[in-house]
Amino acid sequence: MTSTRRIIFFSAWTAVALMALPARSQQSGPNAAAPTTITLQDALTRAQANEPQFRAALTDYGVAKENRVQSRAALLPNVNYNAGFIYTQGNGTSSGRFIAANGVHEYLSEGNAHQALSLQNLAEYRRSRAEEALAKARYEIATRGLVVAVTQAYYGSVVAQRKYSTAQRAAAEAQHFFDITQKLERGGEVAHSDTIKAQLQQQQQQRALQEAQLEMERSRLELAVLIFPNFNENFTTVDDLENLGPLPLFQEIEALAGNNNPQLRVALAQLRAANQEVAAAWGGFLPSMTFDYFYGIDANHFAVNGLDPATGRNVRNLGYEATATLELPIWNWGAGRSQVKSAGLRRNQAKVELSFAQRKMAADLKNLYSESQTARSELESLRQSSDLAAESLRLTTLRYQAGEASVLEVVDAQNTLTLAQNALGDGQVRYRVALANLQTLTGTF
């Protein structure tokens, strides 16, 4: 009886080993294109070009930079060219019918250098600089957030393929174990209850295989949407979950977070922008000045030289003029005071948000570091559990061959191995995602 069981199990395990070989995900043929191999860094680079929320943050940063350029230009002199013609209804004289008219015909062709000076414009420029820094910090947050999303999707796809392979192995084992129990039952070596239990295990593993295939396809599609501009499934990923770098000490992480935390930079930039908004609102109560310098022609004839009708002498039409205007705000029905109050309210809110960001950074840093530390420390235990589960299945199978173990023990050992292998993959993804989350506060280390 014992030798018969051993011969059957040797043939069964040989078949299981052959069936558990990974299947090709792409069809082969002379016209089939080779799949693109995507590493994590490749996925990050592709996602930066295609992920819309990241691109929106990049666009906002670019717009903020251009707004600063425009605000700075408002502080500097600008030069324009003015050309015009004014026709006034005549009244029989050279002056025209209207009081403001310089003549029946008036030609304008002159360059204008214009300069406006006000503390309000200066405050607006400073605010645009703060808003540029704010947009840059938000862009950095979006960049690091994209790393987290891509890392999770990428390694989620890798582990989903692992789980599918594990499910294939488990389904093959369950099928052959069911075949074996049937043969042993026909030989009168085991009870019919063993066959029933083996059949239940086989059906359960087939269902688990279908679910694993569905999850593998779902995670693959999720990654494809994230990294490709067009819908593309013809790619493979690299399983580098075993390549783990050292986790720095908490003191080093704390120093990096103090220098590279974009959330703090956002809160500080918001406060600076609010301060400049208050300054701009107060600037509305102060005088402003404008200077203009004109050079060209403003005459009754479009010519460099003209004739004075009163004296009959030739005159020079080409010349220059300069104007200076001082504007003193007097009364605007409380609009200026209202702007100051509104800006003050936003500044107070920015102070509260800065204080909260500082507290939250300290808490998040400790929490994310503890998460990374725990996930890493559990990896070795998960790896040992996977090895022990494989050894336990081997030994339990040998005991069953010798008639010393029950079918329930074999089924339990099979399920334990599947759970242990899946838990190892989940633990490796958890550590990678925890590192990516920690680096949202510290930057790359």
Side-chain angles (χ1 to χ4, degrees):
M1 180 186 298
T2 303
S3 61
T4 302
R5 286 193 179 187
R6 288 177 179 171
I7 292 173
I8 293 175
F9 268 91
F10 177 77
S11 301
W13 280 105
T14 303
V16 168
L18 293 174
M19 291 183 66
L21 292 175
R24 293 184 181 179
S25 59
Q26 304 294 336
Q27 295 181 351
S28 59
N31 297 326
T36 303
T37 301
I38 302 294
T39 64
L40 177 61
Q41 188 57 48
D42 294 334
L44 290 172
T45 302
R46 290 172 179 269
Q48 287 180 351
N50 301 307
E51 208 282 324
Q53 293 184 353
F54 172 80
R55 298 297 301 181
L58 180 60
T59 299
D60 291 342
Y61 177 40
V63 171
K65 289 176 65 176
E66 298 306 320
N67 288 340
R68 176 188 56 81
V69 172
Q70 297 168 27
S71 182
R72 181 187 61 183
L75 298 176
L76 302 175
N78 58 78
V79 178
N80 301 290
Y81 171 74
N82 302 320
F85 169 71
I86 301 175
Y87 173 77
T88 301
Q89 183 180 5
N91 60 358
T93 68
S94 61
S95 63
R97 187 175 294 271
F98 302 103
I99 297 175
N102 296 318
V104 177
H105 297 159
E106 181 177 358
Y107 298 88
L108 298 173
S109 179
E110 54 191 5
N112 169 225
H114 175 80
Q115 173 69 66
L117 297 177
S118 72
L119 294 178
Q120 190 174 19
N121 288 345
L122 181 61
E124 290 290 348
Y125 170 65
R126 290 175 177 172
R127 185 174 69 170
S128 68
R129 291 179 56 185
E131 289 176 346
E132 180 189 4
L134 174 62
K136 183 178 181 180
R138 286 175 173 166
Y139 162 68
E140 182 64 26
I141 291 175
T143 301
R144 298 181 186 183
L146 182 64
V147 172
V148 175
V150 172
T151 300
Q152 193 165 9
Y154 184 87
Y155 287 118
S157 176
V158 169
V159 169
Q161 294 179 43
R162 278 193 189 181
K163 290 182 178 180
Y164 178 67
S165 178
T166 300
Q168 284 181 312
R169 175 197 56 76
E173 288 175 356
Q175 178 63 48
H176 285 279
F177 185 68
F178 175 53
D179 295 339
I180 289 168
T181 56
Q182 287 181 313
K183 293 178 182 178
L184 294 176
E185 182 188 359
R186 287 194 294 269
E189 300 183 47
V190 298
H192 181 60
S193 60
D194 286 12
T195 304
I196 294 177
K197 182 61 179 176
Q199 185 176 8
L200 291 174
Q201 174 71 357
Q202 181 263 342
Q203 292 174 349
Q204 178 181 346
Q205 293 302 333
Q206 285 295 329
R207 292 192 297 269
L209 177 60
Q210 293 177 353
E211 293 294 331
Q213 183 177 8
L214 178 63
E215 177 60 24
M216 180 182 67
E217 293 173 354
R218 185 202 62 79
S219 62
R220 184 178 182 82
L221 292 175
E222 180 182 352
L223 180 61
V225 168
L226 192 61
I227 64 177
F228 289 113
N230 301 316
F231 187 72
N232 181 16
E233 295 183 83
N234 190 24
F235 69 95
T236 59
T237 53
V238 179
D239 187 349
D240 60 349
L241 284 171
E242 298 292 340
N243 301 331
L244 302 178
L247 183 65
L249 298 175
F250 182 74
Q251 291 78 6
E252 300 176 8
I253 293 295
E254 196 171 26
L256 288 173
N259 297 327
N260 301 322
N261 188 351
Q263 282 90 351
L264 276 183
R265 291 206 299 270
V266 165
L268 286 171
Q270 286 177 329
L271 180 58
R272 287 196 295 267
N275 286 332
Q276 295 306 319
E277 186 177 359
V278 172
W282 279 111
F285 290 98
L286 301 177
S288 62
M289 295 190 67
T290 58
F291 299 92
D292 288 278
Y293 176 84
F294 299 90
Y295 185 83
I297 297 173
D298 183 359
N300 298 121
H301 298 86
F302 189 71
V304 174
N305 298 308
L307 181 67
D308 184 3
T311 61
R313 294 186 303 170
N314 290 329
V315 294
R316 183 77 168 173
N317 290 334
L318 186 64
Y320 67 87
E321 62 176 322
T323 63
T325 303
L326 175 64
E327 182 178 354
L328 299 173
I330 302 298
W331 178 253
N332 60 4
W333 299 96
R337 175 62 65 178
S338 178
Q339 290 175 355
V340 171
K341 288 183 179 180
S342 298
L345 291 174
R346 282 189 284 268
R347 179 175 61 182
N348 293 337
Q349 178 64 25
K351 290 180 180 179
V352 172
E353 291 179 359
L354 174 59
S355 177
F356 178 78
Q358 291 170 334
R359 298 194 305 272
K360 192 173 187 300
M361 185 205 73
D364 288 346
L365 188 64
K366 290 185 178 181
N367 180 41
L368 294 176
Y369 186 81
S370 297
E371 171 76 12
S372 302
Q373 200 173 37
T374 301
R376 183 176 177 82
S377 65
E378 290 178 356
L379 285 179
E380 185 59 32
S381 175
L382 290 170
R383 189 174 289 106
Q384 290 179 0
S385 296
S386 178
D387 295 339
L388 290 174
E391 181 65 11
S392 174
L393 177 59
R394 186 185 70 83
L395 295 176
T396 304
T397 303
L398 292 176
R399 290 178 59 235
Y400 185 77
Q401 295 176 25
E404 299 175 358
S406 67
V407 66
L408 294 178
E409 292 179 90
V410 177
V411 170
D412 181 67
Q414 291 175 348
N415 292 336
T416 300
L417 176 58
T418 299
L419 292 175
Q421 290 179 336
N422 290 342
L424 175 59
D426 291 337
Q428 290 173 328
V429 174
R430 177 192 177 190
Y431 176 65
R432 290 300 185 106
V433 174
L435 274 185
N437 279 315
L438 181 59
Q439 289 176 353
T440 60
L441 302 180
T442 64
T444 305
F445 52 78

